[in-house]
Amino acid sequence: MEDRGGDGGSFVAVRRISHGLDRNNNCNTTSSAEVVAGSAAWLGRGLSCVCVQGREGDSRPSFDLTPAQEHCLQRLQNRLDIAYDSSIPGHQEALRALWKAAFPEEELRDLISEQWKEMGWQGKDPSTDFRGGGFISLENLLYFARNFPKSFQDLLRKQEGVRAMWEYPFAVAGVNITFMLIQMLDLEAELELIIFTFFIYVTENELAFDLLYCITFKLMDHLWLAMHASYMDFNAVMKSTRRQLERELLQEDITRLEELPSYNLLSR
């Protein structure tokens, strides 16, 4: 994992409870937790149901998942495993819905069209840009458009601040943000404190990842303007965005994603 810092960091070990799932529990309760997947494996914990245990000879705490948490973890994992497939009608409809949310006054002529470049896709077929983030990257953009339409339009049309002559392409930046969040929350063999902290919020909201995406996108644009960035500075801005997001997630007095300082940047 990137940017671990030089102070050794804080880690926790994770193991799962292996008995059956309780189908009567849903993921929106405070005892729920989820994980993510694909190349990334994420683990969450509930506010009250995860047992903290010390292992002999191991200074890291261990967190057990309940069956309900296992179920929620699997649901989120399944979501991240879905690649965008232009032959699936539901994926086609999601793409059309994104266009309509972005440009309600302009009719989309075809799913493969030069019009998509207006949104910041690299070519006339957006499906080629979803490879890094999967179908969830499209879901993230659509969630952003529907839940924070003003901020979505401000970023799409670059309506705030003094903009650079060479700006970041909106849609491709959105896919990059999804991919960055997946990387940031990548477990591999160990669980960093930043990841553990994030899943406190997931227990409160099954769509916490989508909300975190919106916060991150708006924060990225905020830092872009503050750094007077241009196209070639995109990677530097993304690194600054990640560092700022990690700092906010680790604030001890934060109990909900809506309490993150950068959440206040969003407008509906």
Side-chain angles (χ1 to χ4, degrees):
M1 187 166 290
E2 301 172 0
D3 299 326
R4 287 184 184 272
D7 59 359
S10 298
F11 296 91
V12 295
V14 176
R15 65 186 176 88
R16 302 182 184 181
I17 297 174
S18 59
H19 24 92
L21 302 178
D22 182 352
R23 302 291 180 180
N24 294 322
N25 286 302
N26 67 50
C27 300
N28 294 322
T29 65
T30 56
S31 64
S32 65
E34 292 87 74
V35 208
V36 169
S39 61
W42 306 345
L43 176 74
R45 60 122 170 149
L47 296 177
S48 59
C49 286
V50 176
C51 304
V52 180
Q53 302 174 348
R55 290 182 178 175
E56 185 177 353
D58 190 351
S59 61
R60 298 176 300 169
S62 173
F63 296 92
D64 286 341
L65 292 180
T66 65
Q69 290 168 334
E70 283 278 339
H71 181 50
C72 292
L73 174 132
Q74 187 62 54
R75 287 180 60 180
L76 188 52
Q77 185 172 13
N78 291 343
R79 185 182 174 202
L80 285 223
D81 274 337
I82 300 172
Y84 180 83
D85 187 340
S86 58
S87 69
I88 297 176
H91 291 198
Q92 296 174 13
E93 289 307 310
L95 195 56
R96 289 191 180 95
L98 178 62
W99 176 269
K100 186 173 183 180
F103 303 107
E105 305 301 323
E106 183 179 349
E107 183 178 354
L108 179 66
R109 292 187 289 273
D110 196 350
L111 285 180
I112 299 178
S113 169
E114 294 289 336
Q115 290 174 282
W116 286 110
K117 295 180 181 179
E118 299 175 35
M119 194 184 294
W121 300 104
Q122 295 184 82
K124 61 183 181 179
D125 183 4
S127 67
T128 61
D129 290 326
F130 286 128
R131 292 169 185 163
F135 183 59
I136 195 172
S137 59
L138 172 54
E139 291 181 310
N140 288 158
L141 281 166
L142 195 51
Y143 179 92
F144 192 12
R146 288 171 169 170
N147 290 274
F148 299 96
K150 185 180 185 305
S151 287
F152 179 89
Q153 289 292 334
D154 286 345
L155 270 59
L156 170 64
R157 302 175 189 275
K158 306 295 191 294
Q159 292 179 333
E160 292 185 342
V162 179
R163 314 303 306 200
M165 180 174 294
W166 293 96
E167 280 285 327
Y168 64 84
F170 172 79
V172 173
V175 175
N176 272 271
I177 288 171
T178 297
F179 187 69
M180 184 267 284
L181 289 174
I182 291 173
Q183 284 188 319
M184 188 181 80
L185 299 172
D186 189 358
L187 274 184
E188 295 183 343
E190 295 175 315
L191 181 63
E192 265 193 273
L193 181 60
I194 181 67
I195 307 159
F196 174 74
T197 303
F198 169 72
F199 280 97
I200 294 174
Y201 311 129
V202 179
T203 63
E204 296 293 326
N205 180 3
E206 189 177 351
L207 295 174
F209 183 78
D210 301 85
L211 178 56
L212 185 63
Y213 171 88
C214 299
I215 295 169
T216 305
F217 207 151
K218 187 63 177 176
L219 173 61
M220 185 278 291
D221 188 74
H222 177 76
L223 293 175
W224 176 275
L225 293 173
M227 295 168 66
H228 305 288
S230 187
Y231 184 81
M232 297 300 292
D233 303 312
F234 183 77
N235 287 340
V237 175
M238 288 290 284
K239 288 179 181 179
S240 295
T241 301
R242 174 170 173 166
R243 286 193 294 267
Q244 177 63 27
L245 189 63
E246 289 172 343
R247 284 194 292 268
E248 293 189 16
L249 285 169
L250 291 176
Q251 292 183 25
E252 293 184 359
D253 57 340
I254 301 295
T255 60
R256 301 166 61 241
L257 286 177
E258 290 86 350
E259 295 174 358
L260 293 176
S262 291
Y263 176 82
N264 296 320
L265 297 171
L266 288 167
S267 301
R268 295 184 186 275

